[in-house]
Amino acid sequence: MDSDDGLGKLSAALAEFVEERDWDQFHNPKNLAMALAAEAGELLEHFQWLSESEANSLGASQRQEVAMEMADILMFLLRLADRLQVDLLKAADEKLELNRRRYPVEKARGRATKYDKL
């Protein structure tokens, strides 16, 4: 990941943080993927029993808690990408292009149907 971009800088800062604490020994791909899933579960807990309206209008403190869970997810994802040498921006660009082909506007607009059912 290009260290000049925001994600690259954050990834480098995370690597330094982990190195300083000798935590890389715990950051194998399996453990990072599990931590990522656990953090996603913690994010879901904030929305679990909310109505759509409530979920769209979080208060400041709840929004901050959600932001911290999202940050945890991002950081574990960046660590996993670093360990697996995945360029996340390139992968996201490739996935977006794939989804453009799978979900052409004329078939997918206004529909929440999986691409193989369009």
Side-chain angles (χ1 to χ4, degrees), residues 55-108:
N56 283 320
S57 58
L58 299 177
S61 66
Q62 195 171 15
R63 184 177 300 274
Q64 178 62 19
E65 291 174 16
V66 166
M68 292 298 99
E69 297 302 345
M70 293 169 69
D72 285 340
I73 291 166
L74 175 61
M75 290 188 294
F76 277 122
L77 182 61
L78 286 173
R79 287 295 298 146
L80 181 59
D82 188 39
R83 287 302 303 261
L84 295 176
Q85 299 178 338
V86 170
D87 181 330
L88 283 175
L89 294 177
K90 180 180 176 203
D93 283 342
E94 290 171 359
K95 184 65 175 187
L96 183 56
E97 183 54 38
L98 176 63
N99 285 342
R100 280 191 178 103
R101 291 192 306 272
R102 286 180 171 172
Y103 297 95
V105 172
E106 61 277 4
K107 290 183 178 181

Side-chain angles (χ1 to χ4, degrees), residues 25-43:
Q25 62 184 313
F26 309 116
H27 285 192
N28 63 67
K30 176 194 71 77
N31 288 355
L32 289 167
M34 291 173 66
L36 181 59
E39 293 298 337
E42 290 179 17
L43 175 62

Side-chain angles (χ1 to χ4, degrees), residues 105-118:
V105 172
E106 61 277 4
K107 290 183 178 181
R109 185 170 174 83
R111 300 180 69 187
T113 305
K114 190 170 178 183
Y115 67 91
D116 61 349
K117 303 284 190 240
L118 287 173

Side-chain angles (χ1 to χ4, degrees), residues 1-15 78 82 87-89:
M1 193 172 302
D2 184 349
S3 62
D4 288 337
D5 68 65
L7 287 180
K9 288 177 182 176
L10 179 55
S11 185
L14 283 168
L78 286 173
D82 188 39
D87 181 330
L88 283 175
L89 294 177

